Amino acid sequence: MTSLSLKPSFWRREHHLDRMNLRQLVVAYFQYPAIMAYLALSAVSIGVWFAHPASAGRTALAAGIAVVLYPLVWYSLHRWVLHSRWMFKVPALAATWKRIHYDHHQDPNRLEILFGALHTTLPTIALATAPIGYAIGGIGGAAAGLAAGLLTTCVYEFCHCIQHLAYTPRHPLLVKMKQRHMAHHFHDETGNFGITNFFWDRLFGTSYAKVSDRKKSATVFNLGYTPEVAVKFPRVAELSGGVATGHPVSRIRRKA
C-alpha cells in the first residue's frame, strides 16, 4: 500500500494556496491530519487537566508562559535549525530537513508541505511547554501548558497559511505579517524569521520591513543547497529527483 493511499481522500491531490480563496483554505485547514491531531491532543490535554486540575493561577501561568515562549522557540528553530547548513550534510537528517523546510522554500504555496511534520512538531511543542507547566502546577500545569502550545500552533499555522494565500488580509497586523514573510521567501531568507511575531527579529537584528532595505539573496529559494553543494552532499538531491533552480513560480508553471 502506498503512502498516497493512506491519506484521507481530500488530500490525495495537491493544494496550492496561490490558487485558493479563504473559504477553500478553511475547509482544507480543518481537514488536514496534523491540524486534527493538534486539536485532538489539545482536547486530551484539557481532559487530563480536569482529572488532575491545577489552581486557576498556576493554570493561567503555565498556559501564559507557553504562549509567550512560543515565538522565541519558533524563531530559534527557524533561524538556527531550519535555515542551518548542517542538516543536509548529515544523511540521517537530510530527509527531515528536506521535508520540514527545503521543500517549503522550493514550492512556498503548496499547502501539504507548509504544515510541519508531526514527528518533529509534537516533540518540540511538548518539550517547550510540558516541563515548565509541570514545574508550575504538576500534571495539571503540564496539561495546561501543552494544550496552550498545541492551540497556539494551530493559530500559528493558520496565519502562516494566510501569508501564502491568494488573499489580502484586512487587519493591518496580518498585512504586516504577510509582507515580511513574503520578503523572507522571495527576497532574503536570512531575516524575518518570525511568522506571527517579529519581536525576536527586532531584538536580534534580523528584521526588515522593506525589500529595499536588503540586497536580494542568491540562496532565497534553495537555502544554500546548490547544485555544487549537492555533489558533495547528495542525499537531498536524491530524494528530490535533482536540484531545482530558478524562481518557484517559473518551475511550477513548467510542471503544470
Side-chain angles (χ1 to χ4, degrees):
M1 183 178 293
T2 66
S3 60
L4 183 64
S5 66
L6 295 174
K7 291 182 179 179
S9 59
F10 184 78
W11 286 97
R12 291 179 192 171
R13 61 182 176 84
E14 292 185 354
H15 296 73
H16 295 274
L17 286 161
D18 55 335
R19 306 172 198 168
M20 297 170 67
N21 58 36
L22 183 59
R23 180 183 177 281
Q24 290 170 327
L25 168 61
V26 171
V27 171
Y29 176 84
F30 284 105
Q31 292 190 52
Y32 193 74
I35 299 303
M36 291 191 289
Y38 296 144
L39 293 174
L41 289 171
S42 298
V44 170
S45 297
I46 292 170
V48 170
W49 183 91
F50 275 105
H52 304 277
S55 68
R58 292 177 185 273
T59 297
L61 182 60
I65 288 177
V67 172
V68 171
L69 189 63
Y70 194 93
L72 174 59
V73 172
W74 171 249
Y75 176 92
S76 301
L77 291 172
H78 194 186
R79 180 178 180 182
W80 288 301
V81 178
L82 302 184
H83 279 268
S84 70
R85 297 192 180 182
W86 57 266
M87 286 187 74
F88 60 70
K89 298 177 182 179
V90 182
L93 298 177
T96 297
W97 181 75
K98 167 183 154 42
R99 162 62 184 88
I100 62 179
H101 214 56
Y102 175 75
D103 284 352
H104 180 48
H105 273 260
Q106 289 282 297
D107 192 350
N109 297 320
R110 186 179 167 196
L111 187 54
E112 295 91 326
I113 53 180
L114 178 147
F115 293 112
L118 283 175
H119 71 278
T120 61
T121 58
L122 288 178
T124 302
I125 296 165
L127 288 172
T129 60
I132 294 175
Y134 186 84
I136 293 170
I139 295 176
L146 180 57
L150 290 164
L151 293 174
T152 300
T153 300
C154 291
V155 173
Y156 156 83
E157 292 284 30
F158 190 77
C159 289
H160 193 187
C161 290
I162 289 289
Q163 290 163 8
H164 289 274
L165 188 66
Y167 167 78
T168 301
R170 296 180 182 179
H171 196 285
L173 181 59
L174 285 174
V175 171
K176 182 184 294 186
M177 287 180 189
K178 184 163 187 168
Q179 289 172 341
R180 295 195 179 195
H181 191 60
M182 289 299 97
H184 172 81
H185 269 282
F186 294 96
H187 187 73
D188 180 11
E189 82 284 9
T190 65
N192 291 348
F193 293 104
I195 300 296
T196 59
N197 184 303
F198 294 96
F199 171 80
W200 297 104
D201 278 291
R202 290 192 291 271
L203 185 66
F204 289 114
T206 55
S207 174
Y208 67 100
K210 300 177 181 178
V211 295
S212 58
D213 293 341
R214 290 192 171 203
K215 181 181 179 181
K216 185 176 176 64
S217 170
T219 57
V220 68
F221 302 128
N222 60 34
L223 308 187
Y225 190 77
T226 63
E228 294 76 19
V229 171
V231 172
K232 188 173 182 180
F233 304 103
R235 183 58 179 152
V236 172
E238 291 169 355
L239 294 169
S240 304
V243 179
T245 58
H247 195 287
V249 172
S250 64
R251 285 190 279 103
I252 294 163
R253 283 175 179 167
R254 286 200 299 270
K255 287 169 59 180

